Amino acid sequence: MSFGEYFGSDNPTAETSFDGTFSLNNLSAGQGHITVVAKGYAPERVAATVGTNSVPLNVQLKPAAWLRVRVVDESGNPLSHVDVRLQAWRGNNTLDWGGFTDGAGRIDWNSAPRDQLDLFAGKQGYFFSRNNLIIADGEEHTITLHPQLTVSGSVIDATTGRFIADFKAIPGSEPAYWARHNTAHGTNGQYKLT
């Protein structure tokens, strides 16, 4: 189990004793959340108030859910070695789960939460897929990745017809802050954007 609002290696952690009791020490006073994880059980995240008069917190774990995901391309062909990760769960993400799809494009998690998960999937050469809202219900859920697009062309001076020696090509369909990261620097009239 860990204490914190996001998953992180610096979160205070503890393991339960043989009778299921636990103690998290040296916590700052105030509100927070405790995330409990046990193999074969669904993770649980509960609100906790830390203070000098804190009462014992009882956490009841439910049977685990089984998350099954298959990642395919636009033609329905399986994609191997796709990075699939838990992006959010119950607002903030206090769980660390993820990995890569196998040769059949599949990845699963047999100790998943029983409520909605927000998954990310990414592979070089394809657009990232975010906000895949999935319930781990034992059924196979499909995520489709679309290939990245490449746009290339030339830029000429409208008056002289000569290639422009040095310029920037900025994609315009994304939010301005993201588009600037994808700016291409063109030379001798040629540019290429991926």
Side-chain angles (χ1 to χ4, degrees), residues 24-108:
L24 283 165
N25 300 314
N26 300 320
L27 300 178
S28 299
Q31 298 289 332
H33 286 89
I34 293 177
T35 302
V36 181
V37 180
K39 190 171 183 175
Y41 292 92
E44 188 60 60
R45 182 173 185 253
V46 294
T49 302
V50 178
T52 54
N53 58 349
S54 296
V55 296
L57 183 66
N58 291 316
V59 181
Q60 213 170 30
L61 297 182
K62 297 175 182 165
W66 185 18
L67 174 66
R68 298 174 61 220
V69 175
R70 186 168 189 242
V71 184
V72 299
D73 65 15
E74 290 178 333
S75 299
N77 300 313
L79 289 173
S80 63
H81 207 68
V82 176
D83 183 16
V84 178
R85 304 234 163 254
L86 180 62
Q87 185 170 272
W89 171 61
R90 295 187 184 178
N92 300 337
N93 185 18
T94 54
L95 290 176
D96 180 31
W97 177 83
F100 293 92
T101 58
D102 62 16
R106 291 186 170 97
I107 186 170
D108 66 349

Side-chain angles (χ1 to χ4, degrees), residues 107-192:
I107 186 170
D108 66 349
W109 183 12
N110 62 5
S111 294
R114 303 181 70 79
D115 46 350
Q116 184 173 269
L117 305 170
D118 182 352
L119 301 180
F120 160 88
K123 180 179 175 75
Q124 189 171 11
Y126 292 84
F127 286 109
F128 292 144
S129 180
R130 297 186 183 275
N131 303 317
N132 297 287
L133 304 178
I134 295 174
I135 301 284
D137 55 9
E139 298 294 319
E140 186 171 85
H141 299 271
T142 302
I143 298 174
T144 303
L145 294 186
H146 304 281
Q148 286 181 344
L149 302 176
T150 299
V151 177
S152 61
S154 57
V155 178
I156 59 171
D157 183 304
T159 305
T160 66
R162 294 184 181 181
F163 289 119
I164 302 294
D166 187 41
F167 62 93
K168 293 179 185 176
I170 304 170
S173 64
E174 300 173 345
Y177 68 89
W178 185 253
R180 291 191 207 303
H181 293 291
N182 294 323
T183 297
H185 294 276
T187 56
N188 300 323
Q190 305 301 309
Y191 72 92
K192 184 177 178 181

